[in-house]
Amino acid sequence: MTRKKEIKTIKLRLYGESFKINKLSLNGVDKTRVDEVCRRLKEPLECALLNVSFYSRLQLKSHQTIEDFIAHSFGGLINSPKNKIEIWSGRKCLQKCNIETLFSKHTLFPVFNIQHSQVTVTPNNELLFLEKEVGFIGEYLIECPQFNIDLLQFNISDLVYDTVSYQVLSGIQYNSVDLSPHKSDTLVTYRYCVNNLKPASIPY
C-alpha cells in the first residue's frame, strides 16, 4: 500500500506599510439616489464616499462601506527598510528578509525568483480610491507535500500615478499559481478619493 504524502502548510507573512489604488464602480447602484445623498451631505461624491454618514443614508445592504464599491485593486507592500517578509513551516521560520532584498537588482546571488513590471495608472473617466495601511499586511498559505522555494515567485511593480510613485510587491505565486492573502491585521493611515468621472461630481 502506497503511503499518502503528508500535506504541509507554509505561511508567508508580510509586515510593514502597503499602498493600494482601487478603482471604484457605481454599477448596480441607483445614481439618482447617490446624488441625492451627496446633496444632503453637501459634499461631492469623492468626499461623501469617505463619510460614514453616506452609507447610513444610502441604505443599501450591498454597499455598507467604500470597500463595497471596489471593482479592482492594485498595490502591495512598499519598498521600505522597515518592511519584511517571513516564511514559516509550523513553528519554524524558514526564511526572513527585508523587503529591500526583493527589490535590489544588483544582488549577486538572488534568493528568490523575481518578476519586474511597470504599471502606470492613467485615470480615464474613473473613480479612484487611494489607501495606505500599516501592520500585518497579509498571510499567504501554500499547501504542498514538499515546499520548494525555487517555485516561489514575487511580482515587483513600479507603480506610478500622477505625482505618486512607489515600488510595491504586487503579487506572489507558487508553482505558477497566484496566491491570495488569507488574513491581515492593519491600521489605515491614509485614504483619499479622486473623481475623474465625466461630468465630475461637484459640491452641493
Side-chain angles (χ1 to χ4, degrees):
M1 181 182 291
T2 304
R3 188 174 179 181
K4 213 171 182 180
K5 287 187 178 181
E6 181 184 355
I7 300 298
K8 296 181 180 178
T9 299
I10 305 299
K11 298 179 180 180
L12 277 74
R13 295 170 178 166
L14 310 184
Y15 298 91
E17 182 179 26
S18 70
F19 174 76
K20 287 188 293 185
I21 294 182
N22 307 286
K23 292 185 179 181
L24 306 183
S25 173
L26 299 178
N27 291 341
V29 180
D30 185 345
K31 295 177 179 60
T32 303
R33 176 65 180 161
V34 169
D35 287 343
E36 176 60 29
V37 174
C38 288
R39 288 190 184 93
R40 289 184 181 181
L41 293 173
K42 297 181 180 180
E43 292 181 342
L45 178 59
E46 59 271 25
C47 293
L49 285 166
L50 297 173
N51 187 338
V52 293
S53 298
F54 173 80
Y55 302 95
S56 61
R57 297 191 183 197
L58 190 62
Q59 295 182 339
L60 286 178
K61 289 183 179 180
S62 60
H63 293 74
Q64 299 288 314
T65 68
I66 193 170
E67 281 77 14
D68 295 324
F69 285 90
I70 295 176
H72 178 70
S73 295
F74 190 87
L77 198 64
I78 296 172
N79 182 9
S80 169
K82 295 182 179 180
N83 296 351
K84 63 180 181 178
I85 298 172
E86 295 179 356
I87 303 176
W88 290 81
S89 176
R91 296 183 179 181
K92 182 180 180 181
C93 183
L94 303 179
Q95 190 84 32
K96 184 185 293 186
C97 70
N98 189 283
I99 190 71
E100 289 180 313
T101 303
L102 298 183
F103 289 88
S104 176
K105 296 181 180 180
H106 306 293
T107 303
L108 187 59
F109 300 106
V111 179
F112 302 108
N113 294 318
I114 306 296
Q115 181 69 42
H116 289 272
S117 66
Q118 172 87 32
V119 177
T120 301
V121 177
T122 305
N124 181 23
N125 194 27
E126 291 176 325
L127 194 58
L128 299 179
F129 169 43
L130 284 62
E131 186 175 34
K132 276 187 178 182
E133 295 177 310
V134 295
F136 179 31
I137 301 302
E139 180 179 79
Y140 298 76
L141 302 182
I142 299 172
E143 295 185 335
C144 56
Q146 186 66 42
F147 177 66
N148 184 350
I149 201 168
D150 292 332
L151 297 178
L152 191 62
Q153 177 180 294
F154 292 95
N155 299 327
I156 303 298
S157 300
D158 293 320
L159 176 59
V160 179
Y161 166 70
D162 196 21
T163 59
V164 179
S165 177
Y166 287 108
Q167 286 186 313
V168 298
L169 173 58
S170 56
I172 303 174
Q173 293 180 327
Y174 183 75
N175 199 17
S176 301
V177 176
D178 292 328
L179 303 181
S180 299
H182 172 64
K183 63 180 180 180
S184 63
D185 185 10
T186 60
L187 175 68
V188 175
T189 59
Y190 174 83
R191 280 188 163 189
Y192 185 67
C193 202
V194 182
N195 187 0
N196 293 296
L197 297 175
K198 300 175 183 178
S201 175
I202 59 174
Y204 294 104

